[in-house]
Amino acid sequence: MPYSDKVLDHYNNPRNVGSFDKSDTTVGTGIVGAPECGDVMKLQLKINADGVIEDAKFKTFGCGSAIASSSLATELVKGKTLEEALQLQNTDIVEELALPPVKIHCSVLAEDAIKAAIADYRQKNGIAE
Amino acid sequence: MSVTLPIYLDNNATTRTDPRVVDAIIPYFSNAYGNAASKSHPFGWVAEEAVDKARAQVASLIGADPREIVFTSGATESNNLAIKGIAEMYAEKGDHIITVVTEHKAVLDTCKHLEASGKSVTYLEVDASGLIDLDALKAAITDKTILISVMAANNEIGVLQPIREIGAICKERGIIFHTDATQAVGKIPFNVEDLGVDLASFTAHKMYGPKGIGALYVRRRAPRVRLSAQIDGGGHERGFRSGTLNVTGIVGFGEAAALCEAEMAADAARLQALRDAMEARLLAEIPECQVNGNREHRLPGLLNISFGFVEGESLLMGLCDVALSSGSACTSASLEPSYVLKALGVGDELAHSSLRFGLGRFTLPEEVEWVTEKVISEVARLREMSPLWELHLEGVDLSTVQWQPH
């Protein structure tokens, strides 16, 4: 399967691989997908007192497009407020990475991971959505 | 270490045509291009002579009589001819066929086709190492059983079924025994008399010959096996398979067979040593990986191995300088895990992250070493990125995690 140059770049040089402490109240963690489906994404956001995403990290089990989608997602959310991050659409990722139709689900997973991480942060801090 | 990329390690999908085979074929394109069935002029006589020689070479490799070799377009056609041909010819005797769940699609789908037209088929299970249980085979036999078809060597995991023992059971019960020997012939000793095989399918391109030419061995005595032809026409190949003979392909097949007969023992010993060294190093340096298929009864140049906590497609992407597959080439376009590995009880996750390394006559030791290094570093890199590996290191049992499947 041919991959776009951008997918290859993120696959070969993934941005922001790693983990934050899950129990830190300034960290929101989203884990989506399932091993038997071949994709699991963990996305973590570090959020400052102003509600801005200061830093993001990911770990992904999945194909090259899944790795690239989550790597790109960490880049896209950095510096955004939670409200702005929630506006991100999977189609933004599809366009940027030129994902083929069979890989659209990777971008959906990345969008879901962002939402799950934000929900986790809000729940931890008792913030209503 | 200097190697030329990409490296070809997919010799169970197909092999490079040996340059000596190519040299043998060339004259039959431009000079001796006659139709082997033309009896009235020297062009035909020369072609026929070449076919006779090749038929003897192919027969010799498997210990058969040249008159027992039927040339076909390849092993898929041979499997179709054998199974459908027996089912039709012996329809009055019975309608039951026994085969195995890990067979190639050319056998399984042929059997499914026959089931749709009213035949009955038993698909034997295999154990965790990929071997069938001979007692289960015996128990599956009924008085309606006309054919048992069990592959000699599996294309994905290289497992060698107990062909001689199955041959003896078939002989005792008066049942015809077909084996898809595509992966075995030319790689390991395969003698139809010694093994008690009645029908055997194989093909040139898996043994350093050209694509598009294969053979079906059809036993002539004790018992004399009869078949209904599946392709009608001019009555070539003693009526078993009509169609103008593929003289260039046949000449190449013959030459490839002769080379295998002469060099098989040395090739097998060399490939087994390379494969064993690769396997030992991967197992020693990569935690949580497992070899698939019986390690004792296995083709010498094949290694199928699963790496836990990494995903197969991303691993193949990291190994883009290596031509290999995550199973059978015929199904590599699908994202479904291998049905062969599933039959062994390998879970979907591990089946997704399995690679088949197929070493061959032209594989160099430094290529195997380069690939081994690359696999070790890529698995480590992908695990560094894998949330499953992280959970595993934290001691979490992944089967207890509440996942959110899509």
Side-chain angles (χ1 to χ4, degrees), chain B residues 319-374:
Chain B
L319 298 170
C320 60
D321 289 325
V322 189
L324 44 74
S325 87
S326 54
S328 149
C330 308
T331 49
S332 66
S334 78
L335 298 171
E336 285 298 303
S338 146
Y339 67 90
V340 172
L341 294 180
K342 279 179 126 168
L344 268 62
V346 177
D348 278 1
E349 297 159 53
L350 268 187
H352 267 302
S353 63
S354 301
L355 297 179
R356 177 185 70 178
F357 301 96
L359 284 55
R361 183 181 287 162
F362 302 102
T363 305
L364 303 170
E366 53 268 33
E367 292 177 325
V368 178
E369 206 171 312
W370 191 93
V371 173
T372 306
E373 298 273 354
K374 188 75 180 167

Short mmCIF file of all heavy atoms in Angstrom, two decimals, chain B residues 319-374:
data_model
loop_
_atom_site.label_atom_id
_atom_site.label_comp_id
_atom_site.label_asym_id
_atom_site.label_seq_id
_atom_site.Cartn_x
_atom_site.Cartn_y
_atom_site.Cartn_z
N LEU B 319 9.69 -2.37 7.82
CA LEU B 319 10.57 -3.29 7.10
C LEU B 319 10.37 -3.14 5.60
O LEU B 319 10.42 -4.12 4.85
CB LEU B 319 10.27 -4.73 7.54
CG LEU B 319 10.50 -5.04 9.01
CD1 LEU B 319 9.94 -6.41 9.38
CD2 LEU B 319 11.99 -5.00 9.33
N CYS B 320 10.12 -1.87 5.17
CA CYS B 320 9.75 -1.67 3.76
C CYS B 320 10.89 -2.01 2.81
O CYS B 320 10.66 -2.19 1.62
CB CYS B 320 9.24 -0.25 3.54
SG CYS B 320 10.46 0.99 3.96
N ASP B 321 12.10 -2.16 3.32
CA ASP B 321 13.21 -2.55 2.44
C ASP B 321 13.33 -4.06 2.33
O ASP B 321 14.30 -4.57 1.75
CB ASP B 321 14.53 -1.98 2.97
CG ASP B 321 14.60 -0.48 2.79
OD1 ASP B 321 14.07 0.00 1.76
OD2 ASP B 321 15.17 0.21 3.66
N VAL B 322 12.40 -4.77 2.94
CA VAL B 322 12.43 -6.23 2.89
C VAL B 322 11.13 -6.72 2.26
O VAL B 322 10.05 -6.32 2.69
CB VAL B 322 12.57 -6.84 4.30
CG1 VAL B 322 12.82 -8.34 4.19
CG2 VAL B 322 13.69 -6.17 5.08
N ALA B 323 11.26 -7.56 1.24
CA ALA B 323 10.07 -8.15 0.63
C ALA B 323 9.70 -9.37 1.45
O ALA B 323 10.40 -10.38 1.42
CB ALA B 323 10.36 -8.53 -0.81
N LEU B 324 8.63 -9.24 2.23
CA LEU B 324 8.14 -10.40 2.96
C LEU B 324 6.64 -10.23 3.13
O LEU B 324 6.07 -9.26 2.66
CB LEU B 324 8.86 -10.59 4.29
CG LEU B 324 9.13 -9.40 5.20
CD1 LEU B 324 7.88 -8.93 5.88
CD2 LEU B 324 10.14 -9.80 6.25
N SER B 325 6.02 -11.19 3.76
CA SER B 325 4.58 -11.08 3.87
C SER B 325 4.15 -11.42 5.28
O SER B 325 4.91 -11.99 6.06
CB SER B 325 3.89 -12.00 2.87
OG SER B 325 3.75 -13.27 3.44
N SER B 326 2.90 -11.04 5.57
CA SER B 326 2.38 -11.39 6.89
C SER B 326 1.52 -12.64 6.75
O SER B 326 0.58 -12.84 7.49
CB SER B 326 1.58 -10.23 7.47
OG SER B 326 0.59 -9.83 6.56
N GLY B 327 1.83 -13.48 5.81
CA GLY B 327 1.09 -14.73 5.62
C GLY B 327 1.12 -15.13 4.17
O GLY B 327 2.15 -14.99 3.52
N SER B 328 0.00 -15.59 3.67
CA SER B 328 -0.06 -16.02 2.28
C SER B 328 -0.18 -14.82 1.36
O SER B 328 -0.93 -13.89 1.63
CB SER B 328 -1.26 -16.95 2.12
OG SER B 328 -1.79 -16.84 0.83
N ALA B 329 0.55 -14.84 0.26
CA ALA B 329 0.51 -13.71 -0.68
C ALA B 329 -0.90 -13.52 -1.23
O ALA B 329 -1.30 -12.41 -1.54
CB ALA B 329 1.48 -13.96 -1.83
N CYS B 330 -1.63 -14.62 -1.32
CA CYS B 330 -2.97 -14.55 -1.92
C CYS B 330 -3.92 -13.74 -1.05
O CYS B 330 -4.93 -13.25 -1.51
CB CYS B 330 -3.53 -15.94 -2.10
SG CYS B 330 -2.40 -17.01 -3.00
N THR B 331 -3.63 -13.64 0.24
CA THR B 331 -4.57 -12.93 1.11
C THR B 331 -3.93 -11.68 1.71
O THR B 331 -4.50 -11.05 2.58
CB THR B 331 -5.05 -13.85 2.26
OG1 THR B 331 -3.92 -14.46 2.84
CG2 THR B 331 -5.98 -14.91 1.75
N SER B 332 -2.73 -11.30 1.24
CA SER B 332 -2.04 -10.19 1.89
C SER B 332 -2.72 -8.85 1.65
O SER B 332 -2.44 -7.88 2.32
CB SER B 332 -0.57 -10.14 1.47
OG SER B 332 -0.47 -9.83 0.10
N ALA B 333 -3.63 -8.80 0.66
CA ALA B 333 -4.34 -7.55 0.42
C ALA B 333 -5.45 -7.32 1.45
O ALA B 333 -5.90 -6.21 1.65
CB ALA B 333 -4.93 -7.55 -0.98
N SER B 334 -5.87 -8.39 2.12
CA SER B 334 -6.95 -8.23 3.09
C SER B 334 -6.37 -7.93 4.46
O SER B 334 -5.24 -8.28 4.76
CB SER B 334 -7.79 -9.51 3.16
OG SER B 334 -7.12 -10.48 3.91
N LEU B 335 -7.16 -7.24 5.28
CA LEU B 335 -6.68 -6.88 6.62
C LEU B 335 -7.06 -7.95 7.64
O LEU B 335 -6.81 -7.80 8.81
CB LEU B 335 -7.24 -5.52 7.02
CG LEU B 335 -6.82 -4.35 6.12
CD1 LEU B 335 -7.59 -3.10 6.47
CD2 LEU B 335 -5.32 -4.10 6.20
N GLU B 336 -7.68 -9.03 7.15
CA GLU B 336 -8.07 -10.11 8.05
C GLU B 336 -6.84 -10.89 8.49
O GLU B 336 -5.94 -11.15 7.70
CB GLU B 336 -9.01 -11.07 7.31
CG GLU B 336 -10.41 -10.53 7.12
CD GLU B 336 -11.10 -10.28 8.44
OE1 GLU B 336 -11.22 -11.22 9.23
OE2 GLU B 336 -11.50 -9.12 8.68
N PRO B 337 -6.79 -11.28 9.79
CA PRO B 337 -5.67 -12.12 10.19
C PRO B 337 -5.73 -13.50 9.52
O PRO B 337 -6.80 -13.94 9.11
CB PRO B 337 -5.82 -12.23 11.70
CG PRO B 337 -7.21 -11.85 12.01
CD PRO B 337 -7.69 -10.97 10.89
N SER B 338 -4.58 -14.13 9.42
CA SER B 338 -4.46 -15.40 8.70
C SER B 338 -5.36 -16.50 9.27
O SER B 338 -5.36 -16.75 10.47
CB SER B 338 -3.01 -15.83 8.78
OG SER B 338 -2.90 -17.24 8.86
N TYR B 339 -6.10 -17.19 8.39
CA TYR B 339 -6.95 -18.29 8.87
C TYR B 339 -6.10 -19.47 9.31
O TYR B 339 -6.54 -20.29 10.12
CB TYR B 339 -7.97 -18.70 7.80
CG TYR B 339 -7.39 -19.35 6.55
CD1 TYR B 339 -7.21 -20.72 6.46
CD2 TYR B 339 -7.02 -18.57 5.46
CE1 TYR B 339 -6.68 -21.31 5.31
CE2 TYR B 339 -6.49 -19.15 4.31
CZ TYR B 339 -6.32 -20.52 4.24
OH TYR B 339 -5.79 -21.09 3.11
N VAL B 340 -4.88 -19.57 8.78
CA VAL B 340 -4.00 -20.66 9.19
C VAL B 340 -3.58 -20.46 10.65
O VAL B 340 -3.66 -21.37 11.47
CB VAL B 340 -2.76 -20.74 8.26
CG1 VAL B 340 -1.74 -21.73 8.81
CG2 VAL B 340 -3.18 -21.13 6.85
N LEU B 341 -3.15 -19.23 10.98
CA LEU B 341 -2.73 -18.97 12.36
C LEU B 341 -3.92 -19.09 13.31
O LEU B 341 -3.77 -19.59 14.43
CB LEU B 341 -2.09 -17.58 12.46
CG LEU B 341 -0.77 -17.42 11.70
CD1 LEU B 341 -0.23 -16.00 11.87
CD2 LEU B 341 0.26 -18.43 12.18
N LYS B 342 -5.09 -18.65 12.86
CA LYS B 342 -6.29 -18.80 13.70
C LYS B 342 -6.55 -20.27 14.00
O LYS B 342 -6.94 -20.62 15.12
CB LYS B 342 -7.50 -18.18 13.00
CG LYS B 342 -7.58 -16.67 13.16
CD LYS B 342 -8.79 -16.14 12.41
CE LYS B 342 -9.69 -15.30 13.32
NZ LYS B 342 -10.69 -14.56 12.54
N ALA B 343 -6.34 -21.12 12.99
CA ALA B 343 -6.57 -22.56 13.18
C ALA B 343 -5.62 -23.15 14.21
O ALA B 343 -5.94 -24.14 14.87
CB ALA B 343 -6.42 -23.29 11.84
N LEU B 344 -4.45 -22.53 14.36
CA LEU B 344 -3.49 -22.98 15.38
C LEU B 344 -3.85 -22.45 16.76
O LEU B 344 -3.19 -22.76 17.75
CB LEU B 344 -2.08 -22.49 15.03
CG LEU B 344 -1.18 -23.40 14.20
CD1 LEU B 344 -1.78 -23.67 12.83
CD2 LEU B 344 0.20 -22.80 14.04
N GLY B 345 -4.88 -21.59 16.82
CA GLY B 345 -5.27 -21.01 18.10
C GLY B 345 -4.51 -19.73 18.43
O GLY B 345 -4.55 -19.25 19.56
N VAL B 346 -3.79 -19.18 17.45
CA VAL B 346 -3.11 -17.91 17.67
C VAL B 346 -4.18 -16.82 17.71
O VAL B 346 -5.00 -16.73 16.80
CB VAL B 346 -2.09 -17.62 16.54
CG1 VAL B 346 -1.43 -16.27 16.73
CG2 VAL B 346 -1.05 -18.72 16.46
N GLY B 347 -4.17 -15.98 18.76
CA GLY B 347 -5.19 -14.95 18.89
C GLY B 347 -5.08 -13.91 17.79
O GLY B 347 -4.03 -13.76 17.16
N ASP B 348 -6.19 -13.18 17.57
CA ASP B 348 -6.21 -12.18 16.49
C ASP B 348 -5.07 -11.17 16.62
O ASP B 348 -4.46 -10.79 15.63
CB ASP B 348 -7.54 -11.41 16.51
CG ASP B 348 -8.63 -12.19 15.80
OD1 ASP B 348 -8.33 -13.32 15.34
OD2 ASP B 348 -9.76 -11.69 15.71
N GLU B 349 -4.79 -10.74 17.88
CA GLU B 349 -3.76 -9.71 18.04
C GLU B 349 -2.40 -10.21 17.57
O GLU B 349 -1.69 -9.53 16.85
CB GLU B 349 -3.62 -9.32 19.52
CG GLU B 349 -4.85 -8.69 20.10
CD GLU B 349 -4.80 -8.83 21.61
OE1 GLU B 349 -3.80 -8.43 22.22
OE2 GLU B 349 -5.79 -9.36 22.16
N LEU B 350 -2.05 -11.44 18.00
CA LEU B 350 -0.75 -11.98 17.59
C LEU B 350 -0.73 -12.32 16.11
O LEU B 350 0.26 -12.13 15.43
CB LEU B 350 -0.42 -13.23 18.42
CG LEU B 350 0.39 -13.02 19.70
CD1 LEU B 350 0.76 -14.36 20.29
CD2 LEU B 350 1.65 -12.20 19.46
N ALA B 351 -1.89 -12.81 15.62
CA ALA B 351 -1.96 -13.15 14.20
C ALA B 351 -1.76 -11.90 13.35
O ALA B 351 -1.16 -11.96 12.28
CB ALA B 351 -3.30 -13.82 13.87
N HIS B 352 -2.25 -10.75 13.87
CA HIS B 352 -2.08 -9.48 13.15
C HIS B 352 -0.62 -9.08 13.08
O HIS B 352 -0.22 -8.32 12.20
CB HIS B 352 -2.84 -8.36 13.87
CG HIS B 352 -4.22 -8.14 13.36
ND1 HIS B 352 -4.47 -7.82 12.05
CD2 HIS B 352 -5.42 -8.17 13.98
CE1 HIS B 352 -5.78 -7.67 11.89
NE2 HIS B 352 -6.37 -7.89 13.03
N SER B 353 0.19 -9.53 14.02
CA SER B 353 1.59 -9.08 14.06
C SER B 353 2.55 -10.22 13.75
O SER B 353 3.57 -10.37 14.38
CB SER B 353 1.90 -8.48 15.43
OG SER B 353 1.78 -9.47 16.42
N SER B 354 2.16 -11.03 12.75
CA SER B 354 2.99 -12.17 12.37
C SER B 354 3.66 -11.91 11.04
O SER B 354 3.07 -11.31 10.15
CB SER B 354 2.12 -13.42 12.25
OG SER B 354 1.50 -13.68 13.47
N LEU B 355 4.88 -12.36 10.93
CA LEU B 355 5.62 -12.22 9.68
C LEU B 355 6.09 -13.58 9.21
O LEU B 355 6.44 -14.43 10.02
CB LEU B 355 6.84 -11.31 9.87
CG LEU B 355 6.56 -9.86 10.27
CD1 LEU B 355 7.89 -9.13 10.42
CD2 LEU B 355 5.69 -9.16 9.23
N ARG B 356 6.08 -13.76 7.88
CA ARG B 356 6.63 -14.98 7.30
C ARG B 356 7.90 -14.63 6.55
O ARG B 356 7.87 -13.86 5.60
CB ARG B 356 5.62 -15.60 6.34
CG ARG B 356 6.16 -16.84 5.63
CD ARG B 356 5.21 -17.39 4.60
NE ARG B 356 5.10 -16.52 3.44
CZ ARG B 356 4.35 -16.79 2.37
NH1 ARG B 356 3.63 -17.90 2.33
NH2 ARG B 356 4.30 -15.95 1.36
N PHE B 357 9.01 -15.17 7.02
CA PHE B 357 10.28 -15.00 6.33
C PHE B 357 10.52 -16.24 5.48
O PHE B 357 10.50 -17.35 6.01
CB PHE B 357 11.43 -14.84 7.33
CG PHE B 357 11.28 -13.67 8.25
CD1 PHE B 357 10.72 -13.82 9.52
CD2 PHE B 357 11.66 -12.40 7.84
CE1 PHE B 357 10.57 -12.74 10.36
CE2 PHE B 357 11.51 -11.31 8.69
CZ PHE B 357 10.96 -11.47 9.95
N GLY B 358 10.71 -16.05 4.20
CA GLY B 358 10.94 -17.18 3.31
C GLY B 358 12.30 -17.08 2.65
O GLY B 358 12.52 -16.26 1.76
N LEU B 359 13.24 -17.88 3.13
CA LEU B 359 14.59 -17.87 2.58
C LEU B 359 14.65 -18.78 1.37
O LEU B 359 13.90 -19.75 1.28
CB LEU B 359 15.60 -18.34 3.64
CG LEU B 359 15.98 -17.37 4.76
CD1 LEU B 359 14.76 -16.85 5.50
CD2 LEU B 359 16.94 -18.02 5.74
N GLY B 360 15.56 -18.48 0.45
CA GLY B 360 15.66 -19.30 -0.76
C GLY B 360 17.09 -19.44 -1.24
O GLY B 360 18.03 -18.95 -0.62
N ARG B 361 17.21 -20.12 -2.38
CA ARG B 361 18.52 -20.44 -2.94
C ARG B 361 19.41 -19.22 -3.10
O ARG B 361 20.63 -19.31 -2.98
CB ARG B 361 18.31 -21.12 -4.30
CG ARG B 361 19.59 -21.58 -4.97
CD ARG B 361 19.30 -22.22 -6.33
NE ARG B 361 18.70 -23.54 -6.20
CZ ARG B 361 18.04 -24.17 -7.18
NH1 ARG B 361 17.88 -23.58 -8.35
NH2 ARG B 361 17.54 -25.37 -6.99
N PHE B 362 18.81 -18.06 -3.38
CA PHE B 362 19.63 -16.88 -3.66
C PHE B 362 19.77 -15.95 -2.46
O PHE B 362 20.29 -14.84 -2.57
CB PHE B 362 19.06 -16.14 -4.88
CG PHE B 362 19.00 -17.02 -6.09
CD1 PHE B 362 17.80 -17.60 -6.50
CD2 PHE B 362 20.17 -17.33 -6.79
CE1 PHE B 362 17.76 -18.44 -7.59
CE2 PHE B 362 20.13 -18.17 -7.90
CZ PHE B 362 18.93 -18.74 -8.29
N THR B 363 19.27 -16.38 -1.31
CA THR B 363 19.38 -15.57 -0.10
C THR B 363 20.81 -15.63 0.45
O THR B 363 21.37 -16.71 0.59
CB THR B 363 18.40 -16.09 0.98
OG1 THR B 363 17.08 -16.12 0.43
CG2 THR B 363 18.42 -15.21 2.21
N LEU B 364 21.37 -14.46 0.73
CA LEU B 364 22.74 -14.39 1.24
C LEU B 364 22.73 -14.28 2.77
O LEU B 364 21.83 -13.68 3.34
CB LEU B 364 23.46 -13.17 0.67
CG LEU B 364 23.51 -13.08 -0.87
CD1 LEU B 364 24.03 -11.71 -1.30
CD2 LEU B 364 24.39 -14.19 -1.42
N PRO B 365 23.76 -14.85 3.42
CA PRO B 365 23.82 -14.77 4.89
C PRO B 365 23.77 -13.33 5.39
O PRO B 365 23.10 -13.03 6.39
CB PRO B 365 25.17 -15.40 5.23
CG PRO B 365 25.52 -16.25 4.05
CD PRO B 365 24.88 -15.62 2.85
N GLU B 366 24.45 -12.39 4.69
CA GLU B 366 24.46 -11.01 5.16
C GLU B 366 23.07 -10.37 5.03
O GLU B 366 22.73 -9.45 5.77
CB GLU B 366 25.53 -10.17 4.46
CG GLU B 366 25.50 -10.19 2.95
CD GLU B 366 26.39 -11.28 2.35
OE1 GLU B 366 26.53 -12.36 2.98
OE2 GLU B 366 26.95 -11.06 1.26
N GLU B 367 22.27 -10.85 4.08
CA GLU B 367 20.90 -10.34 3.96
C GLU B 367 20.07 -10.77 5.17
O GLU B 367 19.31 -9.98 5.73
CB GLU B 367 20.25 -10.85 2.67
CG GLU B 367 20.87 -10.27 1.41
CD GLU B 367 20.26 -10.84 0.14
OE1 GLU B 367 19.90 -12.04 0.11
OE2 GLU B 367 20.14 -10.09 -0.83
N VAL B 368 20.22 -12.02 5.56
CA VAL B 368 19.47 -12.52 6.71
C VAL B 368 19.88 -11.76 7.96
O VAL B 368 19.04 -11.37 8.78
CB VAL B 368 19.69 -14.04 6.89
CG1 VAL B 368 18.95 -14.55 8.12
CG2 VAL B 368 19.22 -14.80 5.65
N GLU B 369 21.17 -11.49 8.06
CA GLU B 369 21.68 -10.77 9.23
C GLU B 369 21.12 -9.34 9.26
O GLU B 369 20.68 -8.85 10.31
CB GLU B 369 23.21 -10.74 9.15
CG GLU B 369 23.86 -10.61 10.49
CD GLU B 369 25.37 -10.81 10.37
OE1 GLU B 369 25.79 -11.79 9.71
OE2 GLU B 369 26.09 -9.96 10.89
N TRP B 370 21.11 -8.69 8.10
CA TRP B 370 20.60 -7.32 8.01
C TRP B 370 19.12 -7.28 8.43
O TRP B 370 18.71 -6.42 9.22
CB TRP B 370 20.75 -6.80 6.56
CG TRP B 370 20.51 -5.34 6.40
CD1 TRP B 370 21.44 -4.34 6.42
CD2 TRP B 370 19.24 -4.69 6.16
NE1 TRP B 370 20.83 -3.12 6.23
CE2 TRP B 370 19.48 -3.30 6.06
CE3 TRP B 370 17.92 -5.15 6.03
CZ2 TRP B 370 18.47 -2.38 5.84
CZ3 TRP B 370 16.91 -4.23 5.82
CH2 TRP B 370 17.19 -2.85 5.73
N VAL B 371 18.35 -8.23 7.91
CA VAL B 371 16.92 -8.26 8.23
C VAL B 371 16.71 -8.53 9.71
O VAL B 371 15.85 -7.91 10.36
CB VAL B 371 16.19 -9.31 7.35
CG1 VAL B 371 14.74 -9.48 7.80
CG2 VAL B 371 16.25 -8.92 5.88
N THR B 372 17.49 -9.45 10.25
CA THR B 372 17.36 -9.79 11.68
C THR B 372 17.57 -8.54 12.54
O THR B 372 16.78 -8.24 13.44
CB THR B 372 18.37 -10.90 12.05
OG1 THR B 372 18.20 -12.00 11.16
CG2 THR B 372 18.16 -11.37 13.48
N GLU B 373 18.65 -7.80 12.24
CA GLU B 373 18.93 -6.55 12.97
C GLU B 373 17.77 -5.58 12.85
O GLU B 373 17.35 -4.94 13.82
CB GLU B 373 20.16 -5.84 12.36
CG GLU B 373 21.46 -6.61 12.43
CD GLU B 373 22.18 -6.35 13.73
OE1 GLU B 373 21.70 -5.51 14.50
OE2 GLU B 373 23.19 -7.03 13.98
N LYS B 374 17.26 -5.45 11.63
CA LYS B 374 16.21 -4.48 11.35
C LYS B 374 14.92 -4.85 12.11
O LYS B 374 14.25 -3.98 12.66
CB LYS B 374 15.95 -4.44 9.83
CG LYS B 374 15.02 -3.35 9.38
CD LYS B 374 15.71 -2.00 9.40
CE LYS B 374 14.74 -0.91 8.93
NZ LYS B 374 15.27 0.43 9.24
#
